[in-house]
Amino acid sequence: QIQEFNPWKTLENLQIPILFIHGDKDFVVPCDDSIKFSKITPKGKLVIIKNADHSFLKESHKKQVAEEILKFLENFK
């Protein structure tokens, strides 16, 4: 039997920090999804990378993503 998976309920109940990084020019997954997900996640943090697509193809976007991840992880030292 397949169990039903509800990502909304799962995110609402997570008590760990979650980092959402999204490009505002992502045409694969709407940026609004990350905005909604981050708002319902108790310890969610959202970073929107300006002019970035779904894959963060530009070097400057990759660098920004890496910097944001490092900043986020610094809080766990």
Side-chain angles (χ1 to χ4, degrees), residues 32-75:
D32 285 348
D33 285 358
S34 285
I35 293 169
K36 287 180 209 169
F37 289 148
S38 67
K39 284 182 179 177
I40 65 166
T41 306
K43 295 184 180 181
K45 177 182 184 334
L46 172 64
V47 174
I48 297 176
I49 308 292
K50 282 187 92 109
N51 298 313
D53 62 7
H54 184 74
S55 301
F56 303 103
L57 290 176
K58 290 185 178 179
E59 274 310 308
S60 62
H61 297 150
K62 289 178 187 176
K63 184 178 179 192
Q64 255 186 292
V65 168
E67 288 171 356
E68 292 296 339
I69 292 170
L70 288 173
K71 269 198 282 187
F72 182 76
L73 293 174
E74 284 289 318
N75 292 321

Side-chain angles (χ1 to χ4, degrees), residues 4-5 13 17 24 29-30 46 54 56 65 67 72 76-77:
E4 186 178 314
F5 175 70
N13 294 320
D24 68 352
V29 177
L46 172 64
H54 184 74
F56 303 103
V65 168
E67 288 171 356
F72 182 76
F76 303 106
K77 280 187 175 182

